[in-house]
Amino acid sequence: MSVQMIEFALAYSKLGWHVFPCYPMRGQVCGCGRVQCNSPGKHPATDNGLSEATTDEAQIRAWWGAMPDASIGVHMERSGMCALDLDQYHGDLEKLQVLEQTLGPLPTTPLQLSGSGEGYHAVFKAPGFPVKGVIGGIVVRAKAYIIVAPSNHASGGHYTWQEGCGPTDIPVAEFPDTWEVALEKKAEVGNAGAPTDEPGWPRAIP
């Protein structure tokens, strides 16, 4: 797995995705070594966290040379992307169907099955303006990061791209105009604050 991880990290960087190493799971314990880790297998292994995310090949080789089994984190904002974080146990797929009825269907885009096997990351191009952190009850990863394949998970599984829907299979799609309008995070004006009503959310998961 050691050579494979660095190869994947470099491949993502060549797509313009800004990557950084995260501690992997090693058996039942997070690679950071803390038995009571608050985010096992999911937190940055760099001194300054995701702010160090880069496409620089030399830096990537240095990181994975020092920790060959490190999981791969992708900084969404720096990569010009955002992701819908869809957890089945939160009913997000049903929420998405309701939202698609309101805003129309989303285009096909890279779709990742989470390491737990109970959710998805649907990756889109960032609209170019601040977006809401939650829409229709679904979390939008815009400023933070996601862990990507073939990184491992605390459940014992691995993140995988859905067949035919990996980032080397299809391009990262843009949100339709209706989605961009719904996603935009309005700046506060005076004491009025930002609107709190959020429309529903679309996208059929294959």
Side-chain angles (χ1 to χ4, degrees), residues 93-118:
L93 301 187
E94 290 75 16
K95 295 173 187 175
L96 197 56
Q97 291 176 353
V98 171
L99 289 165
E100 282 195 299
Q101 293 172 7
T102 303
L103 300 176
L106 286 170
T108 300
T109 198
L111 184 66
Q112 177 176 241
L113 182 64
S114 69
S116 66
E118 298 182 342

Side-chain angles (χ1 to χ4, degrees), residues 146-171:
I146 62 172
I147 305 292
V148 294
S151 304
N152 65 13
H153 188 271
S155 65
H158 291 264
Y159 293 83
T160 58
W161 293 104
Q162 183 154 310
E163 185 175 358
C165 287
T168 58
D169 300 317
I170 56 175

Side-chain angles (χ1 to χ4, degrees), residues 38 61 71 101 112 116 132-133 155 174 176 198 200:
N38 293 325
R61 289 190 180 279
S71 290
Q101 293 172 7
Q112 177 176 241
S116 66
K132 298 173 181 176
S155 65
E174 295 182 352
E198 296 180 347

